[in-house]
Amino acid sequence: MIDSELEEAINKQINEEIYSSYLYLSMSAYFESMGLKGFAHWMYVQHKEEMDHAMKFYRFLVERGGKVKLYEIKEPPHEWNSPLHVFEDTLKHERHITECINNLADLAEKKKDRAMLSLLQWFIDEQVEEEANAEEIIQMLKMIGDKGHGILMIDRELAKRVYTPLVAEQNGH
Ligand code: OFO
């Protein structure tokens, strides 16, 4: 049986992950409205990965005998000034998620919950990649520019992103 404080913290994190998924879907819709199909695809993959993250916490809670509680999802922004602005927001958001994961790890350490620490290690590693991905695209947009030919080149590049479902998801429902 999982500790009740950890249960509550995981339920809050499920909400954070679903909000992330919602935010990236909104960014995908923004790119669709600009006709940037590659950017829209990249953000759609990001949206699906975030739902996988939410489900990873969800399954963990169920397996540990906890109760999943789904809270209200806040409304994400719908408009940005430019593709660069979208990725700056993405990086800001991922830094916030990194902080959430680190706080969860502090709590799991305090409660001496090793299974939870093991789960969180996966998220800690994932966050390094998440922040690096956003930083890389910000650099590209700053170097190549976020208008005209430059943006079309990046659009073609981002169209290549492949969605790989998490193994835990494949074994889930
Ligand atoms: Fe974007 O990261 Fe989930 O956790």
Side-chain angles (χ1 to χ4, degrees):
M1 198 68 184
I2 194 157
D3 172 274
S4 62
E5 215 179 320
L6 283 179
E7 179 186 82
E8 176 60 12
I10 293 175
N11 276 319
K12 284 194 179 138
Q13 192 59 31
I14 291 174
N15 186 272
E16 289 279 356
E17 301 293 343
I18 298 179
Y19 174 74
S20 305
S21 181
Y22 214 33
L23 172 67
Y24 296 136
L25 189 59
S26 187
M27 288 174 171
S28 182
Y30 164 78
F31 285 127
E32 292 281 6
S33 76
M34 292 179 81
L36 292 169
K37 294 282 178 198
F39 279 89
H41 166 79
W42 194 97
M43 277 300 173
Y44 184 69
V45 172
Q46 188 71 12
H47 144 75
K48 294 217 284 190
E49 285 195 354
E50 296 299 348
M51 272 314 287
D52 286 354
H53 295 170
M55 287 311 294
K56 206 171 165 75
F57 280 116
Y58 179 114
R59 300 278 358 137
F60 177 79
L61 202 46
V62 170
E63 275 158 26
R64 296 289 304 279
K67 167 98 171 72
V68 170
K69 290 187 199 142
L70 298 177
Y71 302 126
E72 190 174 347
I73 312 296
K74 71 173 184 241
E75 184 176 327
H78 310 119
E79 292 299 331
W80 287 266
N81 297 332
S82 65
L84 177 61
H85 184 208
V86 175
F87 281 93
E88 282 170 347
D89 263 9
T90 299
L91 181 58
K92 200 163 114 201
H93 183 68
E94 287 303 329
R95 284 180 175 154
H96 160 71
I97 295 293
T98 300
E99 204 185 310
C100 294
I101 299 287
N102 288 340
N103 290 341
L104 271 179
D106 287 346
L107 187 62
E109 248 167 37
K110 196 175 118 201
K111 301 282 180 179
K112 297 193 170 37
D113 189 320
R114 287 169 203 257
M116 178 135 173
L117 281 169
S118 163
L119 171 81
L120 290 170
Q121 190 55 53
W122 183 90
F123 279 97
I124 290 166
D125 296 342
E126 175 72 10
Q127 281 313 114
V128 173
E129 203 186 307
E130 294 271 47
E131 288 190 26
N133 286 344
E135 271 162 9
E136 195 187 322
I137 297 170
I138 288 172
Q139 283 320 311
M140 257 198 283
L141 286 166
K142 282 186 174 163
M143 248 162 44
I144 304 180
D146 73 351
K147 284 183 201 71
H149 285 313
I151 198 81
L152 293 178
M153 260 174 66
I154 303 174
D155 194 60
R156 271 200 296 275
E157 203 48 43
L158 297 190
K160 295 180 192 154
R161 184 172 185 186
V162 176
Y163 168 63
T164 315
L166 291 181
V167 175
E169 274 299 292
Q170 289 164 337
N171 294 338
H173 290 292

